Amino acid sequence: MGINMAYKVPFLDLKSINLEYENEFKSIIEDVLESGWFVNGGQLSKFEKEYAAFSGAKYCIGVGNGLEALRLLLLANNIGQGDEVLVPSNTFIATWLAVTQVGATPIPVEPDKFTYNIDPSLLSASLTNKTKAIIPVHLYGQLANLSEINKFAHDHNLVVIEDAAQSQGALFDGLSSANFGNSSATSFYPGKNLGALGDAGAVLTNDNVVAEKIRILRNYGSNEKYIHDIIGTNSRLDEIQAAFLRLKLKNLSRDNQRRIQIARTYSDLISNSAIVLPFCPKMSSPAWHLYVIRTKNRNSFMSYMRDLGIETLIHYPVPPHKQKCYLNEYLNYDLGLTEVLCEEIVSLPISPILSDSQVEYVVEAINKYNG
Ligand SMILES: *Cc1c(COP(=O)(O)O)cnc(C)c1O
């Protein structure tokens, strides 16, 4: 397959997704050029207010990317050398890297076999006197079981930091993740539900002390120009990206509604005994960042789909504990379910610009698949 192969149903066509904003993007570039102000300005503070309101959190602090949002939250909670942090074994590697980068140790916890999110009933088996925090990831856009995770954290005096990179707009029983009271990290990487035209991320919190710490940490440890009270870093969300994000935020609910509609069509109409559809608890209203199915002969399924012009991807083919950078440290862990999932998962196209006929074409193709 050549990289230029034109799919009838591409997985995620970022060029087309951004096309509707072309003229407005150009006038934003002119405005920012005209203003002569490129970082830490009015566009960022307006975006922070607007995204906080969208998320139901009191404070939003823009940072350079999602990994930085996680890392700064760990630093703000004084997590570092000698500490252990419970993380899902089934996640994108950034969740683990943030923990490693502050000098702490990621301790993998296996997922629930239906939702693929961290299984709260397994947390206690991984608890030690070094455990300081839990990072639940709202994988594929579905909120993890926050009520049970928070209860466990409360009972054992642990901090909960949510990885909300994939769950912008997700609800559980009508509540957003911010309503559960933890701080969270999100990412505006171009492929996320709310995507910039480059890297960007944010911390969301209801805690004014955490908010203030993140503001200082992202800006060289400084609250006042040229006065540095702590060792900080440079992790900023540029004015131009903030302005692009403000524009696209206006359509995030509309785009998420379209994702929900596509997910519903897939879940209602796909019927093939070789395919396991995603499980969604009754109260759960995911943001459907990804629509992930399972199938035993994945290679043959993916090439069947490709031959029909449908692009599918794997999120993620190799779990963090199997990556070369972590391999030696996790040889003694039994993470069998994660490994099975990584062999069987496939993500179907679900971007908000897919047409009804493209969605129906995917459904028909899968229903005819002879797995
Ligand atoms: C994208 C993503 C991140 C990292 O975000 P970046 O902005 O790319 O650094 C972290 N966690 C999860 C689950 C993600 O999907």
Side-chain angles (χ1 to χ4, degrees):
M1 180 197 63
I3 44 171
N4 291 322
M5 171 175 168
Y7 284 99
K8 278 191 190 131
V9 190
F11 188 79
L12 184 68
D13 179 352
L14 286 175
K15 183 174 173 184
S16 301
I17 284 175
N18 285 300
L19 210 56
E20 72 168 295
Y21 305 103
E22 192 176 354
N23 291 332
E24 286 157 296
F25 284 154
K26 285 176 180 161
S27 69
I28 284 171
I29 293 169
E30 280 174 21
D31 290 348
V32 172
L33 269 176
E34 180 62 28
S35 79
W37 198 284
F38 304 108
V39 292
N40 292 350
Q43 291 298 333
L44 176 61
S45 55
K46 283 183 190 135
F47 172 68
E48 289 175 334
K49 281 204 188 75
E50 290 158 8
Y51 194 71
F54 172 86
S55 313
K58 268 195 194 152
Y59 310 102
C60 167
I61 305 99
V63 297
N65 55 60
L67 173 59
E68 280 287 278
L70 283 168
R71 189 175 73 87
L72 297 184
L73 267 174
L74 289 163
L75 290 176
N77 284 285
N78 299 316
I79 290 157
Q81 203 76 45
D83 296 334
E84 292 180 352
V85 179
L86 305 181
V87 294
S89 45
N90 182 42
T91 183
F92 179 58
I93 197 163
T95 318
W96 287 44
L97 289 177
V99 176
T100 302
Q101 285 182 0
V102 300
T105 305
I107 304 296
V109 177
E110 284 253 83
D112 174 90
K113 66 173 184 282
F114 298 110
T115 65
Y116 314 148
N117 273 325
I118 197 166
D119 183 345
S121 74
L122 300 178
L123 293 169
S124 63
S126 297
L127 190 73
T128 73
N129 57 11
K130 294 178 180 168
T131 312
K132 290 285 158 55
I134 310 173
I135 308 185
V137 178
H138 306 310
L139 198 67
Y140 309 146
Q142 170 150 268
L143 295 186
N145 189 336
L146 289 172
S147 41
E148 285 194 32
I149 293 165
N150 279 359
K151 183 174 180 305
F152 180 87
H154 182 262
D155 290 348
H156 298 95
N157 204 17
L158 309 176
V159 179
V160 178
I161 294 169
E162 297 170 27
D163 181 337
Q166 302 188 357
S167 59
Q168 294 153 354
L171 299 174
F172 190 89
D173 196 10
L175 300 175
S176 74
S177 116
N179 295 118
F180 289 81
N182 311 310
S183 301
S184 66
T186 197
S187 162
F188 307 113
Y189 174 79
K192 306 297 190 197
N193 286 32
L194 178 60
L197 304 186
D199 278 314
V203 166
L204 293 156
T205 185
N206 295 332
D207 183 333
N208 64 325
V209 176
V210 171
E212 192 52 25
K213 277 191 190 160
I214 300 288
R215 273 190 212 107
I216 293 171
L217 281 168
R218 75 170 171 186
N219 186 35
Y220 299 113
S222 170
N223 202 1
E224 193 185 330
K225 204 164 189 186
Y226 303 132
I227 305 297
H228 306 271
D229 294 337
I230 57 169
I231 302 287
T233 189
N234 171 4
S235 184
R236 295 188 283 230
L237 200 172
D238 296 341
E239 285 292 282
I240 201 161
Q241 297 297 348
F244 293 153
L245 287 167
R246 290 185 68 204
L247 175 63
K248 292 182 76 180
L249 178 59
K250 293 187 190 136
N251 289 332
L252 180 54
S253 294
R254 176 203 72 184
D255 289 349
N256 279 350
Q257 279 309 313
R258 179 64 184 151
R259 288 174 185 271
I260 290 168
Q261 218 171 40
I262 295 169
R264 193 174 296 143
T265 304
Y266 283 159
S267 294
D268 287 350
L269 301 183
I270 293 174
S271 165
N272 185 324
S273 59
I275 305 292
V276 180
L277 296 175
F279 173 76
C280 198
K282 221 178 181 172
M283 304 290 210
S284 175
S285 176
W288 293 108
H289 175 60
L290 294 169
Y291 189 96
V292 177
I293 62 163
R294 286 171 67 181
T295 189
K296 292 253 191 285
N297 298 314
R298 181 171 62 188
N299 283 346
S300 78
F301 175 76
M302 289 180 81
S303 67
Y304 165 85
M305 295 292 272
R306 188 167 53 232
D307 288 347
L308 292 173
I310 301 166
E311 186 179 19
T312 59
L313 295 175
I314 303 169
H315 299 92
Y316 300 90
V318 182
H321 73 280
K322 289 283 196 184
Q323 300 286 353
K324 196 170 168 192
C325 62
Y326 282 123
L327 195 58
N328 292 331
E329 293 156 63
Y330 293 93
L331 295 173
N332 295 329
Y333 281 77
D334 176 11
L335 301 167
L337 177 56
T338 298
E339 288 168 20
V340 169
L341 287 175
C342 286
E343 297 284 311
E344 298 185 353
I345 49 176
V346 186
S347 306
L348 303 183
I350 193 168
S351 78
I353 57 165
L354 290 185
S355 68
D356 288 347
S357 62
Q358 283 175 309
V359 175
E360 283 156 22
Y361 180 70
V362 173
V363 170
E364 273 170 40
I366 297 178
N367 288 348
K368 285 189 198 137
Y369 170 64
N370 216 328

